Amino acid sequence: MFNFDEIVDRTKTPCEKWNKYKGADVIPAWVADMDFKSPPCVIEALQRRVAEGVFGYTDIDEETYGAILSFLKRHYNWEIQKEWLVFTHGVVSSMNVACLSVEGESVMTTTPIYPHFIKAPMHANKEVIAIAMKEENNRWTLDFEAMEEKINPTCKLFMLCNPYNPAGTVFTCKELEQLGAFCLKHDLTICSDEIHADLLLNQSTKHIPIASLSEALAKRSITLMAPSKTFNIAGLQASFAVIPDVELRKRFKKTMGSMVGGINLLGITALKAAYLGGDAWLGELRTYLAENLALVQAFVNRNPKLKLLDQEATFLAWIDATALHVKSPYEFFLQHGVGLSDGGPFGNAQYVRLNFGTQRTVLKAILERMQKAVDSL
């Protein structure tokens, strides 16, 4: 049993999440990292590596490759080859590399979405074709009709987020197959951010890497993964891209060049330890997060002016506060002592994103403050 209720005082270190409101009576529930300690196997591996005392340039060893291959096979029944892996600082930098390395003058993605899905194509001087997600069966999903209407010949890249940030959707096999057919029809490369893939919140949900569906889709896919969200090691900058096609991988690496470095030595250490020994911890984390989500959903259910659709993954709740009729829900809740993510940069300023990846007592305090805020109207 792992103790996810243990409080960690993150204000004693220069922590981005908790420093944002330093000195103010505000509980942060915004940026996507959790307040839990990483798995003991990760901490112990890092302590052993630090004790060696030498931190020079480091290669990726065979055990690290093996850890990734076995983790993907174990969790997703996805068999990949080590040659397909490209190590990077993070998923965000990889998204920018993908936009630069794929031809075309425009990029299609969905909205609302993690802001870097909009920023990355713009950094590459490409038009963004943003397709609004739609509500269907009380969950957010893809609008294929709108995608067909908006696609144009200059578009050569589709940027997918699965599981979906901020809405928590895990796309079904049928949805992914339909998306794959759309990309094949229009000759689109797929850049799929799957950083939240491990954080499934119910046992009936299954994450399927889109590149695993067929050889044809694998050949046009750049799949971005990392242990950072799963095992709370985002500060170690450990991520990788899975790119089966030789030519696509060459273009990706060439674009990276000397601008974007690879994974650092402590990141390698943590990744390997997490993928080899973190399964039991991950299983208990998923249960804890699912129970936290139930508290968030119960709070929303008590307040008819708030809305939260069914969520299948991540520790981030996308809450519709339109019916509060306040100018900025983010500012409104901030005034009542809760620092959420403003929905504006994601695509809708009438929403807020709540990070419930925290200790139960902290989450309850957050929800109590939000309740007082709603009651004040």
Side-chain angles (χ1 to χ4, degrees):
M1 293 290 291
F2 301 97
N3 184 12
F4 294 101
D5 287 319
E6 179 186 357
I7 297 294
V8 181
D9 185 358
R10 301 184 67 192
T11 64
K12 295 185 181 300
T13 57
C15 165
E16 182 179 1
K17 179 179 181 181
W18 285 83
N19 277 9
K20 183 173 182 177
Y21 302 106
K22 192 172 184 177
D25 182 20
V26 174
I27 305 175
W30 63 290
V31 70
D33 72 0
M34 300 183 288
D35 289 323
F36 311 123
K37 286 185 177 180
S38 294
C41 63
V42 170
I43 297 169
E44 291 162 7
L46 289 170
Q47 288 172 335
R48 288 194 301 270
R49 183 64 183 84
V50 168
E52 182 181 296
V54 179
F55 309 107
Y57 295 117
T58 303
D59 288 329
I60 307 293
D61 62 331
E62 289 300 320
E63 192 176 17
T64 300
Y65 281 109
I68 295 171
L69 268 60
S70 66
F71 188 87
L72 298 185
K73 171 63 176 175
R74 202 162 63 244
H75 287 268
Y76 309 117
N77 197 30
W78 189 22
E79 294 191 24
I80 71 165
Q81 299 174 22
K82 60 174 284 189
E83 292 78 15
W84 299 356
L85 293 170
V86 181
F87 292 90
T88 70
H89 273 160
V91 165
V92 170
S93 60
S94 299
M95 289 165 58
N96 282 271
V97 171
C99 287
L100 287 165
S101 60
V102 176
E103 62 178 5
E105 299 172 12
S106 57
V107 174
M108 180 173 281
T109 191
T110 50
T111 187
I113 201 162
Y114 180 53
H116 287 282
F117 278 77
I118 306 299
K119 293 179 181 179
M122 293 174 66
H123 290 158
N125 294 316
K126 296 186 178 184
E127 175 195 7
V128 180
I129 305 172
I131 307 298
M133 293 277 280
K134 65 178 183 178
E135 296 182 29
E136 192 173 88
N137 299 322
N138 205 48
R139 66 193 281 274
W140 292 95
T141 189
L142 299 163
D143 188 339
F144 289 103
E145 289 185 8
M147 288 161 55
E148 286 288 358
E149 290 175 5
K150 298 291 180 65
I151 190 71
N152 67 57
T154 72
C155 183
K156 295 298 178 184
L157 176 65
F158 188 96
M159 295 185 67
L160 172 67
C161 189
N162 181 34
Y164 200 77
N165 178 10
T169 299
V170 178
F171 294 109
T172 65
C173 185
K174 182 179 178 180
E175 289 168 329
L176 292 173
E177 286 174 344
Q178 192 169 351
L179 174 60
F182 173 83
C183 292
L184 288 167
K185 175 183 176 181
H186 296 285
D187 192 25
L188 304 180
T189 298
I190 305 165
C191 178
S192 183
D193 170 8
E194 304 188 11
I195 196 170
H196 290 281
D198 310 321
L199 297 170
L200 307 179
L201 300 181
N202 63 63
Q203 293 183 348
S204 63
T205 302
K206 180 182 180 182
H207 174 77
I208 303 169
I210 191 167
S212 71
L213 289 177
S214 71
E215 185 176 347
L217 290 176
K219 285 180 66 66
R220 59 178 63 241
S221 291
I222 300 168
T223 305
L224 308 180
M225 293 182 144
S228 52
K229 305 298 183 188
T230 308
F231 299 102
N232 210 27
I233 55 173
L236 292 175
Q237 298 180 320
S239 80
F240 55 91
V242 184
I243 312 175
D245 183 72
V246 174
E247 292 305 316
L248 184 56
R249 190 165 64 249
K250 282 181 180 178
R251 292 203 306 273
F252 189 91
K253 285 183 173 181
K254 183 178 180 180
T255 303
M256 282 181 65
S258 56
M259 295 187 299
V260 181
I263 185 172
N264 71 72
L265 70 88
L266 293 182
I268 296 169
T269 302
L271 178 153
K272 177 166 57 178
Y275 281 173
L276 289 176
D279 279 8
W281 183 92
L282 175 56
E284 291 188 24
L285 171 70
R286 288 170 171 167
T287 299
Y288 194 91
L289 290 177
E291 292 169 353
N292 275 5
L293 175 60
L295 290 179
V296 176
Q297 186 68 68
F299 159 73
V300 171
N301 291 345
R302 291 194 301 270
N303 293 277
K305 291 184 178 179
L306 298 176
K307 182 178 178 182
L308 175 63
L309 300 188
D310 291 343
Q311 182 164 339
E312 298 151 330
T314 83
F315 49 83
L316 307 163
W318 184 237
I319 299 173
D320 184 351
T322 306
L324 292 180
H325 299 296
V326 296
K327 183 178 180 180
S328 167
Y330 162 73
E331 292 289 348
F332 171 70
F333 286 114
L334 183 61
Q335 290 166 7
H336 289 82
V338 179
L340 304 167
S341 289
D342 185 353
F346 292 82
N348 193 324
Q350 288 303 305
Y351 283 71
V352 287
R353 193 188 71 169
L354 189 161
N355 178 347
F356 56 87
T358 191
Q359 292 80 15
R360 191 82 28 89
T361 54
V362 176
L363 178 60
K364 288 179 178 178
I366 288 168
L367 297 177
E368 285 171 6
R369 292 186 178 199
M370 291 180 72
Q371 186 65 63
K372 288 180 180 178
V374 175
D375 291 344
S376 72
L377 293 173

